[in-house]
Amino acid sequence: MNKIMSKDMKNIHADKFEAAFYADLYLIKQLIKSKKDLNVLVPVPKGYESLWSKPNICVSMLDILNWLAFSFYTYHDEPEICHETYLAESKQTHRECINPSIIYKKTIDCIDWICNEFSIVNYDLKDYSELRRLRHALFDDEGWLDEDEIEEALQRGFRKIDLDLINEAEKGDGISVYSLVKQGADYKIDPDDTDQSAIVLILDLDLNFHLLLVISYLCHREEFSFSESYEMLSSLYQTGTSQYILDIVMLND
């Protein structure tokens, strides 16, 4: 039987989630005494129960940190990146900024400490498809292209290996994506005739939107609430895994 977390357990997992999301090395060192302690249980909120078989999602603090690093490494030399909103007449109404170089350095320091402390090899390819429903996909076992769509694309002359790359990239399976790319899969495949890579469109679709949300969360740690952890994790998963997979599919460029 699936069990809801007790109050004490929820507090522990809230502390671990906060430590990882905000790359707080001091807090991580206080909380993590064994490799098993790296696991965080994130409660599934109302409205998303149908997507998950259990009331809590188990995610590694190391993965949270990896997604944070993937999200900001392209900005790691920049002193500032901001979330800004404007009215129609170009009047600024909202501005939240972080220093991505500081975030990135703090994140790498946390990753290095965890990996050194528990002898973890972090550079192995990773399959994040088990958490794909954080993208709010309804059917985790289905690809972006279903069997009928794949058959239709094959009849139009597209290669199966490239179509497979679309599905594996959308699922966040870095292991399969790397294997397909090394076999010659072309990420520039465009079965919908959009004049753009279907894979780039899929992964880049909400990337900026979720990056702005992550920036906003990072700007307001003092307002952190574990009740928002699912939404925070969802945005970070999407920014981190999208950038991670995009790097792999473009490996041959």
Side-chain angles (χ1 to χ4, degrees), residues 4 10 18 24 32 41 58 62 70 76 79 82 105 116 121 132-133 153 161 172 185 194 198 225 232 236 251:
I4 304 297
K10 183 174 289 188
E18 181 180 3
D24 187 330
I32 308 306
L41 295 180
C58 184
L62 184 57
F70 295 145
H76 76 276
C82 299
K105 184 182 183 306
N116 291 333
V121 178
R132 177 188 173 215
R133 281 165 287 187
I161 190 173
T194 62
S225 170
M232 294 170 71
L236 186 61
L251 194 64

Side-chain angles (χ1 to χ4, degrees), residues 22 94 96 215-225:
Y22 293 97
H94 184 80
E96 297 170 323
I215 290 172
S216 184
Y217 288 127
L218 291 173
C219 284
H220 299 286
R221 180 175 178 177
E222 70 281 359
E223 299 175 12
F224 167 72
S225 170

